[in-house]
Amino acid sequence: MLQALSIRAWAITFGWLIAPIFLISAVAAQAPPSAPVSSKVPPTQPVVTKIDQKRFTELIKPNGKPLLINFWATWCEPCREEFPALVKIDSEYKGKIDFITISLDFEEEITTGVPKFLALMKASMPTYVLITPDETAAISMISKEWAGGLPMTVLYDPSGKLAYFRQGLVRHDILQREINKLLTPAISSVIDSRQIVDLPLLRSTRTADDGVNDALRDIGHGKPNVFVYGLMPSSVLDGIESLQKRYSVSIKGSGCFVPFEGEAYARAYNRTVITALSKRHGEHVSQLFSFANQ
């Protein structure tokens, strides 16, 4: 198996195919021709942190939230093209996810090209520049499928499992959808036991007489039901479909919960339907439907 090339080697060797080095664009983005050249980074510009492989290993581990990481470089035109969408994602999910970007620029760009580009984009997410003698090792830590091309975006769930992987330009709507998948369970989990107890329960006013009358009506229309609730053995569950077809009856299960119409209603309804089926098909039918609440 061929080893993945250094990402910076990609820039030099295959840049004209995947991520061309747009020197003219980079110079134009930094300052107007008449602006004075300064060796110091203005205080208003974003801080960019240099990291080695050890620190990189720590950064790619989620810390209780979904973790989004974008790998890019100022010399990568597709990276520059997609960056506004990433800034928008950062604004939309601020505080809900952790989002960092890792630049594969050369070390001398840490205080020049990288912060200037971030300032131009009005980007506020933490940004790091990875400087390591072995970029191949860093690449393999993200995915064996990553050949080193940029841009590259990965999304981890809070447990550290890779949830989304994209080598190439990301689409804002797709990235939104993937992030929302990870946030939905977290939103549901905030319902505590007190809230569940306080939920309004609909109380039925249906009576046993209502159950008998409705059962007779449904039998007359040839569409009788049987209400089933509570625990049932698997042998019964396996045979329900056969019973429905054989006796033209619909079996309505509601798990462990009493049907919405109420227990008195359901029991009276069931007794009426099963009695009618027994008269039509024989007494053995009553035994077949003994699992139903009567």
Side-chain angles (χ1 to χ4, degrees), residues 247-287:
Y247 297 104
S248 301
V249 61
S250 176
I251 298 177
K252 294 187 174 183
S254 55
C256 295
F257 298 96
V258 175
F260 172 78
E261 294 83 356
E263 188 168 17
Y265 174 96
R267 287 183 180 278
Y269 186 104
N270 284 353
R271 282 196 302 270
T272 305
V273 169
I274 293 171
T275 298
L277 291 175
S278 297
K279 288 180 179 179
R280 184 180 303 172
H281 300 285
E283 290 299 325
H284 67 284
V285 173
S286 180
Q287 183 61 34

Side-chain angles (χ1 to χ4, degrees), residues 5 12 52 58 61 64 83 103 114 132-133 154 166 172-173 178 193 196 214-215 223 227 237 245 252 277 281 285 289:
L5 292 174
I12 296 171
D52 56 16
E58 297 170 351
K61 293 179 180 178
F83 222 86
S103 167
V114 175
T132 173
V154 292
R166 171 67 179 171
H172 176 265
D173 59 330
E178 296 301 325
S193 57
I196 293 174
D214 287 354
K223 297 179 180 180
F227 293 92
L237 294 172
K245 291 180 179 179
K252 294 187 174 183
L277 291 175
H281 300 285
V285 173
F289 285 91

Side-chain angles (χ1 to χ4, degrees), residues 49-263:
T49 306
K50 172 184 172 181
I51 58 170
D52 56 16
Q53 188 166 326
K54 180 181 178 182
R55 179 60 177 141
F56 173 78
T57 304
E58 297 170 351
L59 285 172
I60 63 175
K61 293 179 180 178
N63 188 26
K65 294 179 182 178
L67 173 62
L68 180 66
I69 308 175
N70 176 260
F71 295 86
W72 66 288
T74 56
W75 44 257
C76 164
E77 187 63 19
C79 302
R80 298 167 66 91
E81 182 182 339
E82 79 170 357
F83 222 86
L86 299 175
V87 172
K88 186 177 180 182
I89 286 288
D90 181 52
S91 174
E92 292 169 340
Y93 293 95
K94 185 78 70 177
K96 298 177 183 178
I97 67 171
D98 290 325
F99 180 19
I100 64 173
T101 72
I102 297 179
S103 167
L104 280 302
D105 275 281
F106 297 98
E107 188 169 355
E108 56 267 27
E109 296 294 326
I110 291 177
T111 58
T112 54
V114 175
K116 288 181 179 179
F117 175 75
L118 294 173
L120 181 66
M121 292 289 106
K122 298 181 180 179
S124 62
M125 51 278 213
T127 297
Y128 304 87
V129 173
L130 176 63
I131 303 298
T132 173
D134 186 9
E135 288 176 356
T136 302
I139 290 171
S140 63
M141 290 171 65
I142 298 298
S143 172
K144 300 295 182 183
E145 299 178 18
W146 186 15
L150 293 177
M152 167 69 173
T153 303
V154 292
L155 176 65
Y156 294 99
D157 71 12
S159 70
K161 181 180 178 182
L162 185 62
Y164 177 70
F165 170 107
R166 171 67 179 171
Q167 182 172 274
L169 288 167
V170 295
R171 274 179 45 184
H172 176 265
D173 59 330
I174 293 178
L175 192 51
Q176 262 190 330
R177 183 185 67 201
E178 296 301 325
I179 294 172
N180 289 337
K181 285 180 184 178
L182 300 184
L183 293 178
T184 301
I187 294 171
S188 301
S189 67
V190 302
I191 302 177
D192 58 24
S193 57
R194 179 189 58 77
Q195 290 172 303
I196 293 174
V197 170
D198 290 345
L199 288 175
L201 298 177
L202 297 175
R203 297 188 179 277
S204 173
T205 58
R206 306 302 302 279
T207 66
D209 288 341
D210 291 329
V212 172
N213 293 332
D214 287 354
L216 292 174
R217 179 201 62 203
D218 293 343
I219 292 169
H221 292 160
K223 297 179 180 180
N225 305 301
V226 170
F227 293 92
V228 180
Y229 53 96
L231 299 176
M232 288 190 297
S234 59
S235 57
V236 171
L237 294 172
D238 293 340
I240 281 181
E241 185 176 354
S242 175
L243 287 176
Q244 292 186 115
K245 291 180 179 179
R246 184 174 179 180
Y247 297 104
S248 301
V249 61
S250 176
I251 298 177
K252 294 187 174 183
S254 55
C256 295
F257 298 96
V258 175
F260 172 78
E261 294 83 356
E263 188 168 17

